Amino acid sequence: QVQLVESGGGLVQAGGSLRLSCAASGSIFMASMAWYRQAPGKQRELVAAIPTGSSPNYADSVKGRFTISSDNAKNTVYLQMNSLKPEDTAVYYCYLRWFRDYWGQGTQVTVSS
């Protein structure tokens, strides 16, 4: 029933920034939210998460560069990505857990060297 719509991906130069958005069809107040990414030929990996009732956590590879945040009034979770590196290139997926797991369709982020 829950739908997630992602936006904000694109092509950027190394060192640049992007902000990804994930708009949910309902309230995210009680949900755990996260961003995952999957590069070609690689496993999907957790990038950042806000577990319900917990502080945000990040993959070691993005600590200090990425920030996950949420806006409950807009039912939206964001991923601010700064100092992007070519190795950040991947399809980024929004994830929501609220009794069940929900995934967005993914948005492509490409970082050129």
Side-chain angles (χ1 to χ4, degrees):
Q1 188 175 44
V2 175
Q3 291 183 314
L4 303 175
V5 179
E6 299 157 322
S7 62
L11 174 64
V12 298
Q13 296 281 347
S17 298
L18 284 173
R19 188 179 73 162
L20 305 183
S21 298
C22 174
S25 59
S27 175
I28 63 171
F29 181 73
M30 299 298 294
S32 295
M33 303 293 296
W35 288 95
Y36 287 75
R37 68 186 181 188
Q38 187 168 23
K42 304 294 184 180
Q43 293 184 327
R44 188 172 297 186
E45 64 174 343
L46 178 65
V47 176
I50 309 178
T52 300
S54 300
S55 299
N57 56 84
Y58 301 90
D60 289 340
S61 60
V62 306
K63 285 181 179 177
R65 299 189 297 120
F66 290 11
T67 303
I68 187 171
S69 62
S70 62
D71 186 336
N72 291 330
K74 297 181 179 179
N75 296 327
T76 300
V77 63
Y78 304 94
L79 184 67
Q80 179 66 46
M81 304 184 294
N82 298 325
S83 302
L84 283 162
K85 304 174 181 179
E87 50 262 46
D88 295 318
T89 295
V91 177
Y92 284 71
Y93 297 91
C94 182
Y95 167 87
L96 179 152
R97 183 176 178 85
W98 186 62
F99 297 104
R100 301 178 185 273
D101 296 337
Y102 300 90
W103 292 92
Q105 293 296 308
T107 184
Q108 177 70 47
V109 172
T110 302
V111 184
S112 61
S113 60

mmCIF file of all heavy atoms in Angstrom, residues 6 91-94 103-108:
data_model
loop_
_atom_site.group_PDB
_atom_site.id
_atom_site.type_symbol
_atom_site.label_atom_id
_atom_site.label_comp_id
_atom_site.label_asym_id
_atom_site.label_seq_id
_atom_site.Cartn_x
_atom_site.Cartn_y
_atom_site.Cartn_z
ATOM 1 N N GLU A 6 11.222 8.400 -5.458
ATOM 2 C CA GLU A 6 12.546 8.967 -5.295
ATOM 3 C C GLU A 6 12.834 9.983 -6.384
ATOM 4 O O GLU A 6 12.360 9.862 -7.513
ATOM 5 C CB GLU A 6 13.597 7.857 -5.339
ATOM 6 C CG GLU A 6 13.436 6.832 -4.231
ATOM 7 C CD GLU A 6 14.058 5.509 -4.571
ATOM 8 O OE1 GLU A 6 13.980 5.097 -5.753
ATOM 9 O OE2 GLU A 6 14.636 4.879 -3.668
ATOM 10 N N VAL A 91 22.883 2.974 -8.132
ATOM 11 C CA VAL A 91 21.461 3.254 -8.028
ATOM 12 C C VAL A 91 21.128 3.315 -6.543
ATOM 13 O O VAL A 91 21.443 2.391 -5.794
ATOM 14 C CB VAL A 91 20.602 2.189 -8.728
ATOM 15 C CG1 VAL A 91 19.120 2.481 -8.527
ATOM 16 C CG2 VAL A 91 20.938 2.141 -10.212
ATOM 17 N N TYR A 92 20.502 4.393 -6.136
ATOM 18 C CA TYR A 92 20.164 4.597 -4.739
ATOM 19 C C TYR A 92 18.690 4.303 -4.527
ATOM 20 O O TYR A 92 17.830 4.783 -5.266
ATOM 21 C CB TYR A 92 20.489 6.030 -4.309
ATOM 22 C CG TYR A 92 21.966 6.253 -4.092
ATOM 23 C CD1 TYR A 92 22.843 6.278 -5.174
ATOM 24 C CD2 TYR A 92 22.491 6.416 -2.814
ATOM 25 C CE1 TYR A 92 24.203 6.451 -4.983
ATOM 26 C CE2 TYR A 92 23.848 6.595 -2.616
ATOM 27 C CZ TYR A 92 24.695 6.613 -3.696
ATOM 28 O OH TYR A 92 26.048 6.792 -3.499
ATOM 29 N N TYR A 93 18.410 3.521 -3.485
ATOM 30 C CA TYR A 93 17.059 3.074 -3.194
ATOM 31 C C TYR A 93 16.603 3.568 -1.829
ATOM 32 O O TYR A 93 17.319 3.431 -0.839
ATOM 33 C CB TYR A 93 16.971 1.548 -3.200
ATOM 34 C CG TYR A 93 17.273 0.910 -4.526
ATOM 35 C CD1 TYR A 93 18.566 0.522 -4.854
ATOM 36 C CD2 TYR A 93 16.261 0.686 -5.448
ATOM 37 C CE1 TYR A 93 18.843 -0.072 -6.067
ATOM 38 C CE2 TYR A 93 16.529 0.093 -6.663
ATOM 39 C CZ TYR A 93 17.825 -0.287 -6.967
ATOM 40 O OH TYR A 93 18.091 -0.881 -8.169
ATOM 41 N N CYS A 94 15.422 4.096 -1.796
ATOM 42 C CA CYS A 94 14.780 4.455 -0.537
ATOM 43 C C CYS A 94 14.126 3.216 0.059
ATOM 44 O O CYS A 94 13.553 2.389 -0.666
ATOM 45 C CB CYS A 94 13.738 5.546 -0.790
ATOM 46 S SG CYS A 94 12.898 6.140 0.692
ATOM 47 N N TRP A 103 10.180 -0.580 -0.808
ATOM 48 C CA TRP A 103 11.320 -0.076 -1.561
ATOM 49 C C TRP A 103 10.861 0.888 -2.647
ATOM 50 O O TRP A 103 9.833 0.690 -3.286
ATOM 51 C CB TRP A 103 12.079 -1.221 -2.232
ATOM 52 C CG TRP A 103 12.772 -2.129 -1.270
ATOM 53 C CD1 TRP A 103 12.279 -3.269 -0.717
ATOM 54 C CD2 TRP A 103 14.102 -1.984 -0.763
ATOM 55 N NE1 TRP A 103 13.205 -3.844 0.111
ATOM 56 C CE2 TRP A 103 14.333 -3.080 0.098
ATOM 57 C CE3 TRP A 103 15.111 -1.044 -0.956
ATOM 58 C CZ2 TRP A 103 15.538 -3.250 0.764
ATOM 59 C CZ3 TRP A 103 16.304 -1.215 -0.286
ATOM 60 C CH2 TRP A 103 16.511 -2.307 0.555
ATOM 61 N N GLY A 104 11.664 1.925 -2.861
ATOM 62 C CA GLY A 104 11.456 2.782 -4.009
ATOM 63 C C GLY A 104 12.011 2.135 -5.264
ATOM 64 O O GLY A 104 12.631 1.070 -5.220
ATOM 65 N N GLN A 105 11.791 2.773 -6.388
ATOM 66 C CA GLN A 105 12.239 2.233 -7.670
ATOM 67 C C GLN A 105 13.725 2.464 -7.924
ATOM 68 O O GLN A 105 14.309 1.811 -8.785
ATOM 69 C CB GLN A 105 11.427 2.845 -8.813
ATOM 70 C CG GLN A 105 9.965 2.425 -8.812
ATOM 71 C CD GLN A 105 9.811 0.939 -9.035
ATOM 72 O OE1 GLN A 105 10.355 0.383 -9.992
ATOM 73 N NE2 GLN A 105 9.075 0.268 -8.152
ATOM 74 N N GLY A 106 14.321 3.364 -7.192
ATOM 75 C CA GLY A 106 15.728 3.664 -7.348
ATOM 76 C C GLY A 106 15.962 4.889 -8.207
ATOM 77 O O GLY A 106 15.198 5.170 -9.131
ATOM 78 N N THR A 107 17.021 5.606 -7.901
ATOM 79 C CA THR A 107 17.418 6.753 -8.693
ATOM 80 C C THR A 107 18.924 6.683 -8.934
ATOM 81 O O THR A 107 19.694 6.391 -8.022
ATOM 82 C CB THR A 107 17.017 8.078 -8.008
ATOM 83 O OG1 THR A 107 17.341 9.182 -8.850
ATOM 84 C CG2 THR A 107 17.705 8.250 -6.659
ATOM 85 N N GLN A 108 19.322 6.913 -10.167
ATOM 86 C CA GLN A 108 20.720 6.759 -10.559
ATOM 87 C C GLN A 108 21.540 7.963 -10.121
ATOM 88 O O GLN A 108 21.168 9.111 -10.382
ATOM 89 C CB GLN A 108 20.829 6.586 -12.075
ATOM 90 C CG GLN A 108 22.262 6.488 -12.589
ATOM 91 C CD GLN A 108 22.936 5.199 -12.198
ATOM 92 O OE1 GLN A 108 22.360 4.123 -12.343
ATOM 93 N NE2 GLN A 108 24.164 5.298 -11.687
#
